[in-house]
Amino acid sequence: MTFDPDPADLALSSVPGHETFDPRRHRFSEEELKPQPIMKKARKIQVPDEQKDEKYWSRRYKNNEAAKRSRDARRLKENQISVRAAFLEKENALLRQEVVSIRQELSHYRSVLSRYQAQHGAL
């Protein structure tokens, strides 16, 4: 089966500097495919300007970086799942075609067998 995903999709599904994501070989666990619960955000608490010291800004910077990594990881996983789903859909369509072809072949052989048995008796 030939499956040629869009190179842009593969780039969005691969971790930079690592091996390119291959939807043919990658398997997701049940846990990875479960929908994530929707969580409500906590209300923002405004910090007065006089309390915004170096420690505050350091924590804000670390939190912003962690949030960015988390969003990027989630986006990467979603892209991988969509590329894998496209691969599986194409594979499924090909397998369905193969089943139809094999059923037609089976039907043909059954008719040949029944004609043979009609002429020469049961096997």
Side-chain angles (χ1 to χ4, degrees), residues 101-115:
S101 172
I102 290 172
R103 283 185 176 159
Q104 289 173 345
E105 189 177 352
L106 175 63
S107 175
H108 169 73
Y109 288 132
R110 281 184 174 163
S111 68
V112 168
L113 178 63
S114 67
R115 280 184 278 153

Side-chain angles (χ1 to χ4, degrees), residues 9-69:
D9 290 340
L10 285 181
L12 291 172
S13 302
S14 302
V15 178
H18 289 83
E19 187 178 330
T20 302
F21 177 73
D22 184 2
R24 293 173 191 85
R25 292 186 297 142
H26 191 85
R27 302 287 186 262
F28 291 98
S29 68
E30 287 290 324
E31 191 63 32
E32 289 176 303
L33 294 174
K34 284 185 180 177
Q36 297 298 311
I38 298 173
M39 299 180 141
K40 291 186 176 184
K41 287 185 174 181
R43 292 189 64 143
K44 291 186 178 181
I45 300 171
Q46 294 294 328
V47 176
D49 286 340
E50 59 271 3
Q51 290 183 359
K52 293 181 180 178
D53 57 359
E54 189 61 37
K55 180 181 174 186
Y56 168 84
W57 289 113
S58 172
R59 288 176 55 203
R60 290 298 323 131
Y61 175 77
K62 287 180 183 178
N63 181 264
N64 289 345
E65 291 298 312
K68 183 181 183 313
R69 281 192 308 271

Side-chain angles (χ1 to χ4, degrees), residues 62-118:
K62 287 180 183 178
N63 181 264
N64 289 345
E65 291 298 312
K68 183 181 183 313
R69 281 192 308 271
S70 175
R71 286 191 299 270
D72 289 345
R74 186 191 74 236
R75 198 173 298 119
L76 177 72
K77 184 65 68 181
E78 289 171 354
N79 290 339
Q80 288 176 344
I81 290 172
S82 66
V83 170
R84 175 80 172 144
F87 166 74
L88 291 174
E89 286 172 359
K90 185 166 184 174
E91 185 180 46
N92 190 24
L94 289 173
L95 291 172
R96 286 181 185 276
Q97 288 175 348
E98 189 177 339
V99 166
V100 167
S101 172
I102 290 172
R103 283 185 176 159
Q104 289 173 345
E105 189 177 352
L106 175 63
S107 175
H108 169 73
Y109 288 132
R110 281 184 174 163
S111 68
V112 168
L113 178 63
S114 67
R115 280 184 278 153
Y116 178 85
Q117 288 178 337

